[in-house]
């Protein structure tokens, strides 16, 4: 991915995280989906009083891209911070992302420092995903 687009996506993920609605866990996550043409779609985690209806930042961002008709997903940038480290995406988000591109780049950003902490392909952390194709 173009360096300028990556830098922009990292900054956007950190910024958008401030909009997370996480009154229960207090754990805020920001995510940005980058498409093959360099378009960006941001999302945050939105918690719910029934807990189970909570949606993660990664899925919010992906659903926003799909809503706009963009399915050519190249990367997901995830900004969070727990005890000094960025966290990995949950299993449900991995499966949802894998349906669109199991080889997409997954970039974990420390939301406090704003720095990229880890970078990998989705298939490295989620091999043999379920598929009907
Ligand atoms: N969360 C995400 O947004 N992404 C993840 O990959 C892991 C978990 C959110 C869901 C919930 O609002 C909070 O983090 C604590 O689980």
């Amino acid at each position: 991915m173009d360096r300028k687009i990556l830098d922009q996506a990292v900054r956007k993920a950190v910024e958008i995280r401030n909009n997370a609605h996480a009154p229960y866990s207090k754990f805020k996550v920001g995510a940005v989906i980058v498409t093959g043409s360099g378009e960006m779609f941001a999302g945050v985690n939105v918690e719910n009083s029934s807990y189970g209806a909570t949606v993660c930042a990664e899925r919010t961002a992906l659903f926003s891209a799909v809503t706009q008709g963009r399915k050519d997903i190249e990367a997901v940038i995830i900004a969070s911070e727990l005890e000094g480290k960025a966290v990995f995406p949950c299993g449900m988000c991995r499966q949802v992302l894998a349906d669109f591109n199991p080889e997409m780049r997954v970039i974990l950003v420390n939301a406090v420092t704003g720095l990229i902490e880890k970078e990998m392909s989705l298939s490295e952390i989620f091999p043999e995903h379920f598929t009907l194709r």
Side-chain angles (χ1 to χ4, degrees):
M1 195 198 315
D2 186 269
R3 184 80 227 174
K4 248 172 75 179
I5 290 178
L6 177 60
D7 287 350
Q8 215 181 314
V10 166
R11 276 201 302 275
K12 201 177 175 71
V14 171
E15 266 170 39
I16 207 76
R17 177 175 170 268
N18 293 314
N19 294 342
H21 178 69
Y24 306 104
S25 73
K26 316 272 189 229
F27 184 69
K28 294 185 165 202
V29 185
V32 170
I33 288 282
V34 182
T35 67
S37 58
E39 284 178 286
M40 293 176 205
F41 297 89
V44 296
N45 53 328
V46 182
E47 295 186 347
N48 182 268
S49 55
S50 72
Y51 290 27
T54 292
V55 182
C56 295
E58 297 89 327
R59 274 176 289 145
T60 309
L62 177 79
F63 295 162
S64 171
V66 174
T67 299
Q68 297 306 319
R70 309 298 193 275
K71 298 182 184 177
D72 169 25
I73 314 294
E74 185 172 322
V76 60
I77 290 85
I78 308 163
S80 66
E81 198 271 341
L82 183 67
E83 295 171 357
K85 287 185 180 160
V87 301
F88 284 90
C90 80
M92 192 183 280
C93 286
R94 292 180 199 201
Q95 178 64 45
V96 172
L97 293 166
D99 268 17
F100 288 87
N101 178 8
E103 296 303 330
M104 76 174 69
R105 300 304 295 167
V106 178
I107 295 162
L108 306 184
V109 173
N110 183 313
V112 173
T113 63
L115 299 172
I116 293 175
E117 221 166 74
K118 289 195 178 81
E119 185 171 347
M120 66 226 97
S121 68
L122 180 56
S123 63
E124 281 176 67
I125 56 167
F126 196 58
E128 305 298 348
H129 68 282
F130 171 71
T131 178
L132 290 171
R133 282 188 273 153

